[in-house]
Amino acid sequence: MNAHAGDQVLHHRALAAGLYGSGLPALQELRQSSIAAYAAHGLPETRHEDWRYTDLSVLRTTSFQPRAGGTLAHERERAVLGYLLANIGAERMVFVNGAYAPQVSNLPSVPAGCTLTTLAAAAATHGALLATHLGSSFSAARHPLAALNTALHGDGMFLHLTRNQALTAPMHVACLSAAAETPTAVHPRLLLVLEAGASATLTLSFQGSGRLHINAVTEIVLGAGAALDLQVLQEDSAEGVHTELISARLEQSARLGVHVAALGGHSSRSEVLCQLAGDDASLSLTGLIIGAQKQTHDLTTLVRHTALRTTSQQVVKAVLDARSTGAYTGRVSVATGAQKTDAAQSCRTLLLSSEASMNTRPQLEIDADDVKCSHGATNGQLDAESLFYLRSRGIPLAAARILLTRAFADEVIDRFPLECVRSHLHGRVDGRIAPKDAVEVTA
Amino acid sequence: MLEISGLHARVANGAEILKGISLTVGKGEVHAIMGPNGSGKSTLAGVLVGRDRFEVTAGSVTLEGADLLALTPEERAVRGVFLGFQYPVEIPGITNAYFLRTALNSVRKARGQTELDAMEFLTLLKQKARLMEMDPSFLNRSVNEGFSGGEKKRNEILQMAVLEPRLAILDETDSGLDIDALKVVAAGVNALRSPERSVILVTHYQRLLDHIVPDHIHVLAGGRIVKSGGRELALALEAQGYGWIESAAGKA
């Protein structure tokens, strides 16, 4: 370990010492081991195959530091919440720069025995659950940024649904962030534990402004027959970096829907790890990537089929304009004995500019013989004849381009479970909703 | 209405296809442009609606006095030009109804007219669909996606009915149609004939002209109009083919 890395460890230890969980030895140990894992492995580099298309260079040259949580400036509060929440639902949990903001949150009541609260509060009441599940679903060595989150996350959301219980209304978790004058790091964290037969629908949104590194981790534990739909609306700061890990483990017949819309950030990476550990478990994954200017978006998935008759379906579409770059790496591994696995993935890209580019990599590792695995990828441009057809009917060129772009994106937008999110995404694709309306958060 | 004068056009940076076409189409008239394959029929239609793969090298086209060639395809549509496509395009993900409403409202907006709301439009569309004997379920399907050849052509005429053009150019509307479909399409076009609407029928075969009777027929060969006449010209072509006209034109 060189002197710089040593300084960094000391710095991280000092930061972690001030965070929640001091009364929970398991969490203390987890933070320390995560600091060590991050120090040992450091920021992933593009020469690493798994990180080839993620541009983290700014994290190397700039120091992003956590800051104390802010509150929303009053005049922005209504606008931002209006933008985000008007239709998504009244029930919400808002974090500003990673700190829980109770004044703009509105937690629903949950069934008896269930818990919906902050991680900091849960550390006091549900220490055993946190100790069992936090950081348990991924390898810190393989996911150093997620390890950094484990080490430094200041708070987050904790949801625990007991057997057969449900969140009756969709719940919205909003992560609003604003950089200070210096570059700012935020580590949002969610832990969702659904016991057998429990169910919930969640929307997780990220909005921010300024020079931010948003480094989020969501861990999902689904018991037998549990069902979760998670929609992720990533509209982070155009000047920032967004890195995110969603890591899930599914028991028998559990069902997970993960629907990710990557729109924000100068550079973004969303990674989904999912282990289908119980027979008949299923994953439905949707990816919508929208790239403008010089954005880079990387969507990486690893689905591990380790039981009988598990299914995964991944449908990804990218719309890339200007000089933006997209990447989709879909890795499916089928373990020995995971017979009757059904894994399908498709990735289609619309390139709106000759300078935009997409990298699509399906990766199949199959160690069972009775499985069905398919993948397909296409890259294309707006069809000239279709454009002419629309124009010949009086639709102006710009509107015709939007119409065809929307038609392309609709297939994945329609997979998002909530109408309000679909309508919002339509607005983003149409250009009716400008990103600047979204990201101006003042803390 | 439409005045084509000394029109020369080529495929962009390619061979010249139209070699001096002059044609006047009066208000309410139906003109048929016939000719063998490669004579320039579809090029003429393409130039009139502003396909950018063609380049006009000489001549002029005016619509009610305005320079048509200076306009974009969408501006031509606003002026009342309509092309019935030989090969209508399939557009997955956009319903027929949404497409047509967007088109109609784009045109109305550009003309300074009020746009139709969803209910007003639907009422209009259903009425027009009845005219074309189209099942209303077509309106909620993606534009032309999975339509049979006949359904696509009927859909073209439905669009014409909704947009109510002043100049409709129907490019090989009869191609790929069986006789029943042809009759339906022809009936739709006939229903749209009016003293205010001119029609140019581009066709290889005369059988369409049994059902849509034109006022004038022009035979195109080698990029020029080599013969013009009335209905009897079509019958002569049907009986004798294009050879005699082409060779007569070659001698002239």
Side-chain angles (χ1 to χ4, degrees):
Chain A
M1 190 183 294
N2 62 33
H4 171 73
D7 289 348
Q8 189 184 52
V9 166
L10 292 177
H11 179 57
H12 286 163
R13 282 184 181 154
L15 288 170
L19 301 172
Y20 84 92
S22 57
L24 201 58
L27 181 52
Q28 295 278 50
E29 282 166 31
L30 181 63
R31 288 195 193 269
Q32 293 307 320
S33 66
S34 298
I35 289 169
Y38 183 72
H41 297 278
L43 273 178
E45 307 210 17
T46 48
R47 62 185 158 78
H48 190 305
E49 192 56 28
D50 287 351
W51 292 82
R52 202 166 137 196
Y53 298 113
T54 310
D55 177 13
L56 300 177
S57 52
V58 68
L59 299 183
R60 252 176 273 284
T61 55
T62 307
S63 169
F64 288 80
Q65 291 301 323
R67 65 182 287 206
T71 52
L72 291 172
H74 184 69
E75 67 273 19
R76 287 298 302 164
E77 181 181 310
R78 289 179 69 87
V80 172
L81 289 179
Y83 167 82
L84 283 177
L85 312 164
N87 300 307
I88 295 182
E91 298 178 337
R92 61 184 179 254
M93 191 166 195
V94 180
F95 293 88
V96 177
N97 290 335
Y100 178 50
Q103 69 281 12
V104 285
S105 295
N106 177 25
L107 299 188
S109 58
V110 292
C114 298
T115 309
L116 170 57
T117 185
T118 62
L119 280 169
T125 58
H126 293 71
L129 273 177
L130 263 62
T132 303
H133 295 299
L134 263 188
S136 69
S137 63
F138 59 90
S139 146
R142 286 201 195 131
H143 298 90
L145 281 166
L148 186 65
N149 175 298
T150 305
L152 299 182
H153 73 280
D155 205 347
M157 179 205 193
F158 174 75
L159 173 67
H160 176 220
L161 294 178
T162 53
R163 194 177 184 83
N164 294 334
Q165 298 299 331
L167 277 191
T168 47
M171 166 91 194
H172 182 186
V173 183
C175 297
L176 310 178
S177 308
E181 285 171 12
T182 52
T184 300
V186 181
H187 302 280
R189 185 90 180 201
L190 286 80
L191 176 60
L192 313 172
V193 180
L194 276 65
E195 294 187 6
S199 63
T201 299
L202 285 179
T203 302
L204 172 60
S205 71
F206 297 93
Q207 274 86 12
S209 62
R211 302 184 71 190
L212 285 167
H213 176 204
I214 305 299
N215 178 42
V217 173
T218 300
E219 287 184 279
I220 298 164
V221 182
L222 297 184
L228 176 71
D229 269 305
L230 175 66
Q231 310 182 95
V232 180
L233 183 58
Q234 191 276 100
E235 300 184 292
D236 255 321
S237 167
E239 299 169 75
V241 178
H242 177 98
T243 52
E244 174 174 14
L245 176 68
I246 296 167
S247 181
R249 181 187 162 90
L250 278 66
E251 298 302 336
Q252 187 179 348
S253 300
R255 186 188 66 72
L256 175 64
V258 177
H259 312 282
V260 178
L263 292 82
H266 178 72
S267 173
S268 90
R269 175 180 173 109
S270 302
E271 185 164 352
V272 178
L273 293 183
C274 181
Q275 185 184 0
L276 301 167
D279 294 348
D280 301 296
S282 69
L283 167 72
S284 169
L285 182 135
T286 307
L288 172 65
I289 292 171
I290 297 182
Q293 298 170 336
K294 290 163 77 175
Q295 284 183 306
T296 66
H297 292 300
D298 177 348
L299 175 62
T300 294
T301 65
L302 168 56
V303 182
R304 294 169 59 209
H305 294 260
T306 59
L308 294 173
R309 298 177 303 274
T310 56
T311 60
S312 64
Q313 187 199 39
Q314 305 186 51
V315 180
V316 177
K317 281 195 172 181
V319 178
L320 301 173
D321 201 355
R323 295 170 66 188
S324 63
T325 306
Y328 166 65
T329 303
R331 184 176 300 164
V332 171
S333 82
V334 180
T336 311
Q339 303 297 12
K340 305 286 183 194
T341 287
D342 187 346
Q345 48 182 320
S346 80
C347 178
R348 296 177 61 196
T349 301
L350 176 60
L351 297 167
L352 293 175
S353 141
S354 59
E355 292 181 284
S357 66
M358 180 72 184
N359 302 289
T360 306
R361 298 186 299 178
Q363 300 178 338
L364 305 179
E365 299 159 5
I366 302 170
D367 292 319
D369 53 13
D370 184 13
V371 302
K372 200 162 79 182
C373 292
S374 66
H375 62 85
T378 60
N379 282 7
Q381 293 156 355
L382 287 179
D383 178 54
E385 187 65 10
S386 299
L387 272 178
F388 178 74
Y389 194 65
L390 298 178
R391 295 177 74 191
S392 79
R393 299 298 182 249
I395 301 173
L397 177 59
R401 289 176 64 92
I402 288 171
L403 203 56
L404 291 178
T405 303
R406 178 170 161 170
F408 173 83
D410 263 356
E411 184 196 349
V412 288
I413 292 177
D414 286 346
R415 290 171 57 91
F416 283 73
L418 294 184
E419 164 56 28
C420 50
V421 174
R422 292 196 295 269
S423 149
H424 181 79
L425 291 172
H426 280 142
R428 288 297 309 268
V429 172
D430 292 358
R432 277 183 290 116
I433 302 173
K436 69 177 170 55
D437 298 335
V439 297
E440 199 179 318
V441 179
T442 313
Chain B
M1 166 67 76
L2 180 74
E3 192 77 45
I4 303 173
S5 175
L7 185 66
H8 288 252
R10 60 182 186 184
V11 177
N13 298 313
E16 184 168 62
I17 300 176
L18 300 184
K19 299 171 181 170
I21 294 205
S22 295
L23 176 66
T24 301
V25 177
K27 211 179 225 187
E29 292 176 356
V30 176
H31 289 236
I33 309 270
M34 302 186 68
N37 291 328
S39 59
K41 302 187 302 286
S42 282
T43 301
L44 177 61
V47 166
L48 292 178
V49 295
R51 275 194 185 277
D52 60 7
R53 76 167 86 111
F54 302 117
E55 197 180 320
V56 173
T57 51
S60 66
V61 180
T62 59
L63 182 72
E64 296 181 319
D67 178 5
L68 198 63
L69 300 178
L71 303 177
T72 62
E74 53 269 38
E75 288 166 342
R76 295 180 202 206
V78 170
R79 299 274 182 142
V81 177
F82 177 89
L83 174 68
F85 280 61
Q86 182 176 4
Y87 303 110
V89 183
E90 297 191 11
I91 308 181
I94 303 178
T95 66
N96 231 355
Y98 186 80
F99 162 57
L100 267 174
R101 187 176 154 216
T102 306
L104 181 63
N105 279 338
S106 296
V107 164
R108 291 182 66 93
K109 190 176 168 190
R111 289 174 184 159
Q113 299 165 328
T114 56
E115 298 178 37
L116 299 186
D117 68 29
M119 283 311 293
E120 291 168 328
F121 177 75
L122 201 61
T123 307
L124 172 79
L125 186 57
K126 283 186 172 159
Q127 174 205 330
K128 304 288 187 183
R130 269 199 300 277
L131 177 75
M132 287 314 302
E133 298 180 26
M134 284 179 79
D135 189 307
S137 70
F138 274 73
L139 305 177
N140 291 319
R141 282 170 57 183
S142 290
V143 178
N144 293 325
E145 193 184 28
F147 286 25
S148 70
E151 288 164 347
K152 284 181 181 171
K153 294 299 173 75
R154 260 195 271 176
N155 200 26
E156 292 294 288
I157 306 305
L158 172 69
Q159 293 173 39
M160 176 178 161
V162 169
L163 293 171
E164 302 186 321
R166 280 186 285 183
L167 172 67
I169 302 156
L170 305 179
D171 189 7
E172 307 273 5
T173 291
D174 49 333
S175 70
L177 296 188
D178 61 31
I179 189 66
D180 292 331
L182 179 66
K183 281 180 178 167
V184 174
V185 167
V189 173
N190 284 329
L192 293 170
R193 283 181 84 154
S194 105
E196 298 299 315
R197 181 169 299 128
S198 309
V199 178
I200 295 176
L201 300 170
V202 175
T203 181
H204 185 91
Y205 302 104
Q206 85 91 33
R207 69 170 188 166
L208 177 68
L209 309 184
D210 290 341
H211 302 279
I212 307 172
V213 179
D215 300 307
H216 302 275
I217 294 176
H218 311 277
V219 179
L220 208 58
R224 294 186 185 87
I225 292 177
V226 293
K227 202 159 185 63
S228 294
R231 181 104 202 286
E232 72 290 346
L233 184 52
L235 298 173
L237 289 169
E238 177 77 353
Q240 302 172 43
Y242 287 105
W244 64 280
I245 288 187
E246 286 179 294
S247 50
K251 280 176 209 148

